[in-house]
Amino acid sequence: MKYLHIQRRAGVSALLCALLLGGGVWVQNLAAEDDKPETGWIEIFSGKDLNGWTKKTGDWEIVGDVPLNPDNPKAFAPKPGTGVMVNGKGGRDTNIFTKQKHGDVQAHIEFTVPKGSNSGVYFQGRYEVQVFDSYGVKEAESSDCGGIYKRYNEKKSYGFEGHAPRLNASLPPGEWQVFDVTFRAPRFDKNGKKIEDAKFVKVVHNGKVIHENVSTTGPTRAAAFSDEKPLGPLMIQGDHGPVAYRNIRIKPIKLD
């Protein structure tokens, strides 16, 4: 099997692999299945430009890499190139919004933060999965990385309805991390009245499931919009500290 893997990566056809290994039709079908490209994904961040975002991108910029600053672990030391977007030289910049609006969706998002930094990914610009340096935290809260952030009552100044990740999957500051999220948009009747809450069907952080079937009754704190809609943009929070992202893509889906 290891030999088969090497040959496929080297571009040898599935049929040739089958002949070399004597594995017959089974090997050929396995290779054909593995080589099928994923479909339906929309690339939000190409690594080359910010064209997937609305025009108000502030000082977000494209760089090649974001190692931690050896003189200041709370900051990056960006290197020239492409592939990564970082929120400005000062580490605090505007929130950015995708041109693409989504309802039910799968999302793949890669991010990194330096020590103590903070960001967030808001589905439909309203419901946040927290990005934070939570490495080493023993008992994670909704404010830790991967948490579904609290809602907030402005008049009474208190937070409510946050959801902590079921486990802390955070990596050390400066390391790249991954969210894979399946999100179900709120549902509305023909008159526009909400009849079902938004739901995070599944949130996977660095390969570990941290949420399943978690509903939120409304937008979380610091959301861009206070109302709820069938569609909305993905929002990346850029005003809470240095953060960098890469390989952002979404796949519109339809959930029951």
Side-chain angles (χ1 to χ4, degrees):
M1 292 300 294
K2 182 177 181 181
Y3 183 70
L4 171 60
H5 177 68
I6 292 170
Q7 293 299 328
R8 283 208 306 268
R9 293 190 61 181
V12 178
S13 70
L15 180 59
L16 179 57
C17 288
L19 293 172
L20 288 172
L21 293 173
V25 175
W26 182 84
V27 176
Q28 182 177 355
N29 289 342
L30 175 64
E33 184 70 25
D34 287 351
D35 290 342
K36 287 182 180 178
E38 289 186 297
T39 60
W41 287 93
I42 299 170
E43 189 176 57
I44 299 297
F45 175 55
S46 68
K48 297 178 181 179
D49 55 51
L50 297 173
N51 290 341
W53 310 88
T54 59
K55 293 182 180 179
K56 296 181 179 180
T57 53
D59 289 328
W60 283 80
E61 59 183 344
I62 308 298
V63 298
D65 196 9
V66 283
L68 295 179
N69 188 327
D71 299 321
N72 180 8
K74 294 185 177 182
F76 292 127
K79 294 183 177 181
T82 60
V84 176
M85 64 180 197
V86 62
N87 62 335
K89 297 177 181 178
R92 291 183 183 272
D93 210 321
T94 187
N95 301 331
I96 57 175
F97 298 82
T98 59
K99 292 178 181 177
Q100 179 78 33
K101 294 184 178 181
H102 70 84
D104 298 351
V105 74
Q106 291 178 337
H108 176 89
I109 299 157
E110 299 180 18
F111 64 92
T112 182
V113 290
K115 185 176 180 180
S117 200
N118 184 355
S119 179
V121 179
Y122 286 75
F123 286 77
Q124 296 191 322
R126 294 170 171 86
Y127 317 101
E128 181 185 14
V129 179
Q130 171 79 322
V131 170
F132 194 74
D133 169 26
S134 297
Y135 179 65
V137 172
K138 299 296 184 183
E139 295 185 12
E141 301 180 357
S142 63
S143 56
D144 282 301
C145 198
I148 298 171
Y149 208 80
K150 293 180 180 180
R151 301 192 63 204
Y152 194 72
N153 186 313
E154 296 288 349
K155 292 182 178 179
K156 297 184 179 181
S157 299
Y158 75 92
F160 63 99
E161 202 186 277
H163 300 276
R166 63 173 59 167
L167 56 87
N168 183 7
S170 296
L171 298 178
E175 292 196 20
W176 284 100
Q177 307 191 53
V178 180
F179 284 153
D180 287 295
V181 180
T182 301
F183 172 83
R184 185 179 185 272
R187 299 300 199 249
F188 301 85
D189 66 17
K190 62 181 181 180
N191 298 315
K193 179 182 177 181
K194 188 177 76 167
I195 55 176
E196 292 185 56
D197 291 328
K199 180 186 291 185
F200 287 94
V201 176
K202 182 177 286 189
V203 180
V204 181
H205 183 195
N206 296 329
K208 298 179 180 179
V209 177
I210 59 172
H211 296 290
E212 286 185 290
N213 296 317
V214 176
S215 296
T216 177
T217 60
T220 55
R221 190 173 186 179
F225 314 103
S226 60
D227 62 354
E228 295 183 275
K229 298 286 185 180
L231 299 173
L234 198 70
M235 183 186 95
I236 300 293
Q237 191 176 59
D239 64 353
H240 278 43
V243 65
Y245 288 86
R246 68 183 186 189
N247 296 333
I248 300 175
R249 58 184 181 270
I250 64 173
K251 182 178 182 179
I253 56 175
K254 184 61 178 178
L255 297 170
D256 294 334

